[in-house]
Amino acid sequence: MSKIPKLRNDCFTLPLGAFWNPVDDALSLLKARLSCVVEKESCFVQDSDGRILAKSVLAPRSHPPCPNTAVDGYAVSGAISAGAQSYQLLDGRAAAGEAFAGSVSAGEALRVLTGAALPAGAQTVVLQEDVLIQDGIIEVNGPLELGSNARATGEDITVGAVLLKAGHKLTPQDLGMLVAVGVSKVEVFKPLRVVVISTGTELRAPGSEAQTEQIYDVNSPMLSAILRRWNLHVIEFGIVQDDPEALRKALDRAAECADVIITSGGASAGDEDHLSAILNATGTMALWRIAVKPGRPLALGVWNGTAIFGLPGNPVAAFVCLLIFARPALSQLAGAGFTRPEPLMLPAAFDKKKKPGRREYLRARLRSGRVDIFASEGSGRISGLSWSDGLVELTEDETSVIQGQLVRYLPYSSFGL
Ligand code: AMP
Ligand code: MG
């Protein structure tokens, strides 16, 4: 059975008296309260792109594993002194993957090709363009330092070195490095399983018929696609009506097959906001009123031991809350630690006034070195999500932006999109 500690039922409770929580306080709380909930497994390096290391990786051998030549040329023993020097050319050669059985003594030279192991006794390689060959003698104009045009054992990676630490998310470049030093398998965390649920009686599944008073479920496909880009194991439950019994049943099923449940809609305190109502009844509910725009309260709770992130239903708010709050939390639950993107400071191509005391995220994009924002801040404008390439983050104390002023820009790529 799993030794992973269960989430505490009170893991999302806020300090008493808290009302509007600053974004950074909310993030600090998430960081402090959540921990890795997934088990480990072994994985072939070739299949490990995007996986999270559960154990640090040490180099089982050096890179390069032996001295080799970086060029086509002639290997000699020691450095080459200044002035005209001549060497006796040995029979044979060393090529990539084909070592030379003999050795090279002082005054001798061996033909070597790029990537070949240096023959015993040789440390220096002279470029083939820099020699003259006549009657088995090669002539060179020195000097040439010891070790020139050769790569020393372990000059890139030494055996036993810590290559990557636990919690690191593997990239294709990492796979290259690991293979180079002979790693064949790595210990990784099993992918975090996330159930995605959209709540709302007005919602219709993509592609189905919709009456004019009905709307299409934007959140399930959009949020699921984002979660897949984060390499999470996504289980789409589709739409659940605004009906407490139906929602309870869906959460029961979800808690059985997921490590985390992400819902959208029904998270406020209205008559049809059943998610917050039934989470409240469990006593694990925390309705976080975060001083952020867009984003209404974020409902956080624990259902049968499984964490629930109740995002706002509005797709723009759901998108921003997923990136800003759920992403670092999911990363922590998945074993990769609490990760937040580093904003780029770039000049604004817009003017804007803002209320102090809350943080705002504006749909933005970078053009010709300046950041522009979407014409409307209306959170119903789903087209602005598609238009944008990132978010401008205006901090709590900022009250205005004028063109040319540096603003904090978070490209979607910095959120792994
Ligand atoms: P709620 O948070 O349930 O009050 O929803 C806020 C607004 O977002 C309402 O106008 C909903 O119709 C809309 N909404 C909720 N869920 C979705 C969804 N999955 N796709 C599109 N719009 C939604
Ligand atoms: Mg609703």
Side-chain angles (χ1 to χ4, degrees), residues 377-388:
E377 283 182 34
S379 61
R381 305 287 186 102
I382 292 170
S383 60
L385 289 177
S386 174
W387 175 92
S388 56

Side-chain angles (χ1 to χ4, degrees), residues 199-203 242 264-267 272-273 296 313:
T199 71
T201 299
E202 74 280 30
L203 303 177
D242 286 321
S264 63
E272 295 294 352
D273 286 328
R296 288 194 313 180

Side-chain angles (χ1 to χ4, degrees), residues 198-199 202-203 215-220 264-268 273 296 311-315 382:
S198 286
T199 71
E202 74 280 30
L203 303 177
I215 58 169
Y216 287 109
D217 171 14
V218 169
N219 291 338
S220 281
S264 63
S268 310
D273 286 328
R296 288 194 313 180
L311 304 176
N314 177 294
I382 292 170

Side-chain angles (χ1 to χ4, degrees), residues 289-318:
R289 289 187 187 79
I290 304 170
V292 64
K293 185 186 167 195
R296 288 194 313 180
L298 205 56
L300 296 151
V302 180
W303 188 267
N304 297 345
T306 302
I308 301 185
F309 273 79
L311 304 176
N314 177 294
V316 174

Side-chain angles (χ1 to χ4, degrees), residues 338-370:
F338 204 80
T339 49
R340 292 179 66 184
E342 185 74 32
L344 306 173
M345 298 304 293
L346 291 167
F350 61 94
D351 295 316
K352 180 183 156 59
K353 295 234 175 302
K354 163 183 167 296
K355 284 188 196 157
R358 74 175 177 201
R359 192 172 294 189
E360 290 191 14
Y361 291 97
L362 311 173
R363 283 151 282 169
R365 66 187 191 187
L366 182 60
R367 291 289 182 274
S368 312
R370 283 153 62 95

